C-alpha cells in the first residue's frame, strides 16, 4: 500500500520520489510540473505500470538513508540469506562552464552486497497521466521508451533483454542505469555514472557547507533546506508548494489538489527561510520570479497562484486515468485557485520583495522603478483590505473579510513606508505610514473581540483561525501585547489537538477538516516561544520532529491521532516551518560551548 515513507531525489529541474524498497513511484519529466511518467503513487498501487523498481528474490528487508548532507539516496535490499543489493539514486547537478548543469536524468547505480543476489529490473513508464504505456524499443545498450510527445532513453550496462523482458538474473558486479532524455551517451556508462556521482556529491556537500544553521537540530534543518531547494525550479526561480498532486488531506475528503505550482501566499515565508539559511542565490532567483510577476500584472491585479514559468491559466481538470492515492480520488491536474480572489497576496508580494531593498548581499538591489511598481500593488492593499475574499485557505464557496488578508494588506503598506525611508522618499514614507495606520485601526475595531480578548478570523466574525498566530511574526502586534497573548490562548483552545494544530474548526466547502495542518503547528510553536512558553514550544517541536518520515521529510498534513502523514509531499510550507521553529528555539552558537 502506498505511503509517504518516501525519499526525494532531484536537481531543481525535476524530482523523483522513491519508496523504502527503492521503487520510483513518482517522477514528472521533463520538468517539475510535467506529465508523471512514473505515477503509481497516485494510481491505486496499480501493478501494471507507472513505476521503476528492482526486485530481489526472497526479499526480507530494506534500509534507506541519504548520503550525508546531499540529495543522493541509498537503498539497500536484502534477501533471507543475507545477500543484497545497494541502489544509489541521484539526479546530476554540477557547475559546468560557469553554469548549472541539471539534465532531466536519473542515475541509478547498483552494486551487490554479500554475494550475488537474484533480481529483476522493471521499468514501466506511462504517458498522458497514465492513459497509455510508453512503447519500449530495444537498442544495443539502451531501451527507448516512446510516446507521441516524449521519448526517454534508458542506457545501461545490464543485459538489455533482461531489463526489457523483466527476466530474473544474478547481479555479480556493479552496474549503472541512466534514465532520461533520448540522447546517445558518448562515453563509457560506468565512467559517466561515476563522474556524475562525484560532481553531484561535491555540489551538495559544498552547498550545505555554506548554510547558516542553528546550533540545535542541525540535521533536521539541513535536510529541510535541501528539500526546500529541490522544490525550486531553477530556470525561472519559482518555488512550488509541493512535488505531487492529489494526495488527500485526509481519507475520503476529496481535498485532493495539484500543488506543483507557485503560491504567492508562500512567498514571504519562503524568502524569510532562505534568508535565514543564507541560501542567497536561491532566494535571489525566487525574488526575480516575484519581480517578473509584478512586472507582468495587468492593472496591478495578482492571482493567488502561477505556473513555474509564469503561466497564468492553470485550468483544473479531473484525471480519470489515475485511481488516486490508495485508490482515493479524484486526481486533479491544474488548480482553479488561480482565478480566486485572495487579497492577502498583495501584502505577501510586498513583504517578499522588501528583501531586495535591504539585503546588501544581493547582486541587484531595489531601485526606484521597482518601488514605483510595488506602490501600485500597495494601492491594491488599500482598496481591498476590507473586501471579502476566499482567504489564504482558498475557500471555494465561502467569502468573508478575512482578518489575515487585512493584516497582510496592512503589512504591505507598512513595508512600503519602510522601503520609502530606505530610499530617502520622505513624502512617500509618510503617505504609506498613514495608510498602514488607518488599516490597522479598522482591523482592531472590526476583528478584535474585546469581550474574549482575542482577534477573530474575519471582520465581525467569531471563529478562530490559525493564521492569527502570525500577528506577532508579521509585526502587527508585539509579543507582550495582551491582545496577542489572548489570541494565542484562544486559538490554542479552539484548534489544538494534542501536539498538532488545525487550520480552523468550522465546516467548509468539503465538510469539517479532520487532519492537522503542519505549518499551523509550527506557527503555534513560534507563538508559544514569543509569549515566553518556550518549554512548551520545544516539546511541541520535538514531537513534530518525530512525525517526519524515516528520511526527515514532511507532507502538508498529519493525522493528530495516528501521526500518519497526509497531503501533498514534500510540502514547502512544512519545511519552512521546521526551519523557522528550529531557529527560534535553538540555543545560540555563542552560548553552546
Amino acid at each position: 500500500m502506498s505511503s509517504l515513507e518516501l525519499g526525494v531525489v532531484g536537481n531543481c529541474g525535476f524530482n523523483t520520489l522513491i519508496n523504502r524498497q527503492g521503487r520510483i513511484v513518482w517522477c514528472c519529466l521533463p520538468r517539475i510540473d510535467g506529465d508523471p511518467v512514473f505515477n503509481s503513487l497516485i494510481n491505486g498501487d496499480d501493478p501494471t505500470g507507472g513505476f521503476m523498481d528492482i526486485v530481489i528474490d526472497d526479499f526480507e528487508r530494506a534500509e534507506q538513508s541519504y548520503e550525508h548532507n546531499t540529495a543522493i539516496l541509498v537503498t539497500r535490499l536484502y534477501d533471507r540469506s543475507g545477500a543484497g543489493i545497494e541502489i544509489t539514486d541521484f539526479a546530476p547537478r554540477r557547475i559546468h562552464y560557469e553554469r548549472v548543469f541539471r539534465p532531466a536524468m536519473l542515475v541509478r547505480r547498483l552494486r551487490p552486497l554479500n554475494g550475488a543476489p537474484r533480481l529483476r529490473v522493471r521499468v514501466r513508464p506511462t504517458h498522458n497521466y497514465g492513459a497509455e504505456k510508453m512503447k519500449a524499443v530495444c537498442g544495443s545498450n539502451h531501451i527507448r521508451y516512446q510516446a507521441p510527445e516524449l521519448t526517454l532513453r534508458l542506457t545501461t550496462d545490464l543485459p538489455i533483454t533482461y531489463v526489457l523482458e523483466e527476466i530474473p538474473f544474478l547481479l555479480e558486479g556493479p552496474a549503472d542505469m541512466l534514465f532520461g532524455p533520448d540522447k546517445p551517451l558518448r562515453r563509457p556508462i560506468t565512467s559517466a555514472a561515476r563522474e556524475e556521482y562525484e560532481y553531484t556529491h561535491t555540489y551538495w556537500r559544498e552547498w550545505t557547507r555554506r548554510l547558516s544553521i542553528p546550533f540545535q537540530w542541525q540535521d533536521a534543518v539541513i535536510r529541510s533546506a535541501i528539500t526546500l531547494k529541490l522544490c525550486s525550479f531553477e530556470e525561472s526561480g519559482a518555488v512550488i508548494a509541493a512535488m505531487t498532486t492529489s494526495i488527500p488531506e485526509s481519507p475520503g475528503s476529496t481535498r485532493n489538489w495539484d500543488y506543483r505550482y507557485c503560491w504567492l501566499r508562500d512567498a514571504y515565508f519562503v524568502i524569510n527561510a532562505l534568508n535565514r539559511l543564507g541560501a542567497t542565490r536561491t532566494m535571489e532567483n525566487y525574488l526575480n520570479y516575484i519581480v517578473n510577476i509584478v512586472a507582468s500584472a495587468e492593472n496591478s491585479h495578482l492571482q493567488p497562484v502561477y505556473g513555474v514559468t509564469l503561466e497564468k491559466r492553470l485550468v483544473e481538470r479531473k484525471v480519470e486515468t489515475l485511481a488516486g492515492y490508495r485508490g482515493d480520488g479524484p486526481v486533479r491536474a491544474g488548480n482553479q485557485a488561480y482565478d480566486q480572489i485572495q487579497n492577502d497576496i498583495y501584502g505577501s508580494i510586498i513583504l517578499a520583495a522588501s528583501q531586495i531593498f535591504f539585503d546588501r548581499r544581493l547582486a541587484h538591489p531595489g531601485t526606484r522603478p521597482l518601488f514605483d511598481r510595488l506602490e501600485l500593488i500597495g494601492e491594491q492593499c488599500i482598496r481591498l483590505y476590507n473586501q471579502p475574499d476566499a482567504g489564504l485557505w482558498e475557500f471555494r464557496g465561502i467569502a468573508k473579510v478575512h482578518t489575515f488578508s487585512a493584516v497582510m494588506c496592512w503589512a504591505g503598506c507598512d513595508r512600503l513606508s519602510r522601503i520609502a525611508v530606505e530610499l530617502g522618499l520622505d513624502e512617500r514614507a509618510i503617505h504609506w505610514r498613514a495608510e498602514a495606520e488607518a488599516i490597522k485601526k479598522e482591523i482592531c475595531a472590526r476583528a478584535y473581540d474585546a469581550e474574549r480578548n482575542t482577534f477573530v478570523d474575519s471582520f465581525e466574525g467569531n471563529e478562530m483561525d490559525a493564521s492569527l498566530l502570525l500577528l506577532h511574526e508579521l509585526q502587527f502586534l508585539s509579543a507582550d501585547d495582551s491582545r496577542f497573548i489572548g489570541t494565542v490562548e484562544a486559538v490554542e483552545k479552539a484548534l489544538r489537538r494534542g501536539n498538532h494544530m488545525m487550520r480552523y474548526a468550522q465546516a467548509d466547502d468539503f465538510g469539517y477538516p479532520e487532519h492537522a495542518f503542519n505549518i499551523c503547528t509550527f506557527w503555534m510553536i513560534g507563538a508559544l516561544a514569543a509569549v515566553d512558553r518556550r518549554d512548551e514550544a520545544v516539546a511541541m517541536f520535538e514531537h513534530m520532529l518525530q512525525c517526519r518520515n524515516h528520511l526527515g521529510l514532511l507532507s502538508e498534513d498529519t493525522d493528530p491521532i495516528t501521526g500518519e502523514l497526509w497531503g501533498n509531499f514534500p510540502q514547502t510550507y512544512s519545511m519552512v516551518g521546521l526551519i523557522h521553529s528550529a531557529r527560534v528555539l535553538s540555543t545560540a552558537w555563542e552560548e553552546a560551548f
Side-chain angles (χ1 to χ4, degrees):
M1 181 173 68
S2 291
S3 80
L4 298 183
E5 294 295 315
L6 304 170
V8 177
V9 169
N11 62 7
C12 305
F14 84 105
N15 294 306
T16 296
L17 300 184
I18 302 171
N19 74 10
R20 297 188 80 152
Q21 288 75 47
R23 173 180 283 195
I24 297 173
V25 296
W26 182 258
C27 181
C28 297
L29 288 172
R31 72 180 204 180
I32 205 166
D33 61 345
D35 185 359
V37 296
F38 298 126
N39 49 49
S40 63
L41 178 66
I42 58 169
N43 199 20
D45 300 305
D46 181 3
T48 66
F51 63 86
M52 178 198 296
D53 66 5
I54 297 164
V55 183
I56 65 171
D57 282 358
D58 205 21
F59 170 76
E60 181 181 47
R61 62 187 176 90
E63 301 170 352
Q64 194 172 58
S65 62
Y66 280 107
E67 293 198 358
H68 183 62
N69 289 356
T70 73
I72 300 173
L73 186 65
V74 177
T75 307
R76 296 182 179 92
L77 307 176
Y78 296 92
D79 65 21
R80 295 186 185 279
S81 71
I85 61 169
E86 180 180 85
I87 309 167
T88 300
D89 286 303
F90 65 94
R93 181 175 173 83
R94 57 187 167 95
I95 305 300
H96 186 64
Y97 296 134
E98 299 183 358
R99 294 174 293 179
V100 178
F101 177 69
R102 40 175 163 72
M105 174 189 293
L106 175 71
V107 179
R108 311 202 85 179
R109 308 203 72 194
L110 313 180
R111 72 180 183 96
L113 302 171
N114 305 323
R118 192 165 181 261
L119 57 86
R120 283 185 297 154
V121 176
R122 303 190 297 182
V123 183
R124 301 178 181 179
T126 67
H127 69 98
N128 192 18
Y129 284 83
E132 297 179 45
K133 307 295 188 293
M134 298 183 77
K135 180 182 178 182
V137 178
C138 188
S140 56
N141 294 104
H142 69 271
I143 302 171
R144 301 174 77 223
Y145 296 92
Q146 298 176 329
E149 299 178 358
L150 178 68
T151 299
L152 299 169
R153 179 185 293 234
L154 173 66
T155 303
T156 182
D157 49 6
L158 292 171
I160 292 296
T161 302
Y162 291 177
V163 175
L164 189 65
E165 299 184 13
E166 301 180 0
I167 297 172
F169 65 96
L170 296 174
L171 182 67
E172 298 182 304
D176 295 291
M177 304 170 66
L178 287 71
F179 183 81
D182 184 28
K183 297 179 180 179
L185 183 67
R186 303 195 184 282
R187 49 183 171 150
I189 295 172
T190 300
S191 61
R194 181 181 65 250
E195 289 172 9
E196 295 300 345
Y197 167 83
E198 292 171 352
Y199 281 126
T200 303
H201 186 273
T202 298
Y203 173 85
W204 286 111
R205 291 297 296 271
E206 289 299 313
W207 187 80
T208 55
R209 283 181 62 192
R210 293 191 293 269
L211 291 176
S212 175
I213 59 174
F215 176 73
Q216 293 174 280
W217 307 293
Q218 294 182 37
D219 290 338
V221 171
I222 289 170
R223 182 52 50 199
S224 295
I226 291 173
T227 308
L228 176 57
K229 183 169 181 64
L230 291 178
C231 285
S232 69
F233 184 69
E234 195 164 50
E235 180 183 338
S236 66
V239 178
I240 59 174
M243 297 177 186
T244 58
T245 178
S246 304
I247 309 296
E249 293 181 17
S250 58
S253 65
T254 70
R255 300 174 191 261
N256 303 16
W257 312 114
D258 192 346
Y259 275 14
R260 297 171 296 164
Y261 308 112
C262 184
W263 267 260
L264 298 189
R265 70 180 181 205
D266 302 349
Y268 163 72
F269 303 100
V270 173
I271 291 296
N272 186 274
L274 293 171
N275 177 44
R276 298 298 186 270
L277 289 167
T280 53
R281 188 177 297 276
T282 304
M283 179 181 72
E284 192 163 16
N285 286 345
Y286 189 30
L287 286 169
N288 289 337
Y289 175 86
I290 290 169
V291 169
N292 271 302
I293 286 176
V294 172
S296 64
E298 297 179 8
N299 299 318
S300 302
H301 170 75
L302 298 175
Q303 57 190 56
V305 57
Y306 291 81
V308 295
T309 49
L310 305 176
E311 295 90 348
K312 294 183 178 181
R313 285 181 54 80
L314 307 173
V315 178
E316 184 177 297
R317 64 184 178 90
K318 291 183 180 180
V319 178
E320 305 295 343
T321 50
L322 295 172
Y325 180 76
R326 299 183 183 175
D328 191 349
V331 170
R332 293 183 172 96
N335 198 303
Q336 210 62 32
Y338 81 90
D339 66 1
Q340 282 190 341
I341 302 299
Q342 294 180 31
N343 296 332
D344 61 292
I345 60 178
Y346 296 96
S348 183
I349 280 288
I350 295 171
L351 260 67
S354 297
Q355 189 78 26
I356 301 172
F357 294 89
F358 295 97
D359 196 328
R360 302 301 183 191
R361 298 168 297 177
L362 302 183
H364 304 289
T367 61
R368 177 61 190 269
L370 177 57
F371 176 73
D372 292 342
R373 288 184 182 275
L374 291 177
E375 283 200 294
L376 297 176
I377 304 300
E379 293 295 335
Q380 294 284 63
C381 292
I382 296 170
R383 187 173 68 85
L384 298 171
Y385 78 91
N386 59 1
Q387 299 301 305
D389 72 348
L392 83 160
W393 305 127
E394 299 179 348
F395 296 114
R396 295 200 168 195
I398 301 172
K400 301 179 182 179
V401 181
H402 289 94
T403 303
F404 180 78
S405 295
V407 170
M408 288 299 283
C409 288
W410 165 85
C413 296
D414 174 79
R415 297 329 188 259
L416 283 172
S417 177
R418 301 187 196 190
I419 295 169
V421 171
E422 179 71 10
L423 295 177
L425 305 173
D426 295 342
E427 182 180 338
R428 302 313 297 160
I430 293 170
H431 168 76
W432 288 111
R433 174 55 48 209
E435 294 292 352
E437 290 175 356
I439 293 174
K440 184 171 185 177
K441 182 178 180 180
E442 185 169 350
I443 293 171
C444 292
R446 300 182 63 186
Y448 175 66
D449 185 333
E451 184 176 339
R452 292 191 289 164
N453 186 32
T454 182
F455 282 82
V456 291
D457 70 321
S458 59
F459 284 15
E460 287 81 44
N462 57 20
E463 301 287 349
M464 291 293 103
D465 187 312
S467 63
L468 298 170
L469 297 168
L470 295 171
L471 293 178
H472 165 62
E473 168 75 16
L474 295 171
Q475 302 178 36
F476 185 80
L477 296 176
S478 63
D480 59 359
D481 190 314
S482 63
R483 295 172 297 176
F484 179 64
I485 295 170
T487 299
V488 172
E489 292 172 350
V491 171
E492 181 178 24
K493 181 179 179 180
L495 302 181
R496 185 166 178 172
R497 306 289 185 269
N499 281 308
H500 299 275
M501 293 296 298
M502 309 296 287
R503 289 174 289 186
Y504 45 83
Q506 67 269 30
D508 59 18
D509 318 279
F510 299 90
Y512 288 93
E514 299 177 26
H515 287 171
F517 205 65
N518 290 329
I519 186 59
C520 297
T521 305
F522 289 119
W523 289 347
M524 175 55 82
I525 290 166
L528 291 175
V531 298
D532 294 327
R533 295 169 61 183
R534 186 180 183 281
D535 290 346
E536 296 173 69
V538 170
M540 197 176 217
F541 182 63
E542 292 281 7
H543 178 83
M544 281 302 296
L545 293 180
Q546 296 301 313
C547 291
R548 298 174 300 156
N549 76 5
H550 66 295
L551 294 168
L553 307 182
L554 281 169
S555 63
E556 180 185 48
D557 307 273
T558 301
D559 184 328
I561 298 175
T562 67
E564 184 178 10
L565 297 178
W566 285 84
N568 282 309
F569 176 91
Q571 179 78 2
T572 291
Y573 241 167
S574 299
M575 299 294 118
V576 165
L578 188 154
I579 292 165
H580 177 73
S581 295
R583 183 182 64 82
V584 168
L585 297 175
S586 175
T587 300
W589 281 91
E590 295 79 6
E591 301 172 3
F593 300 101

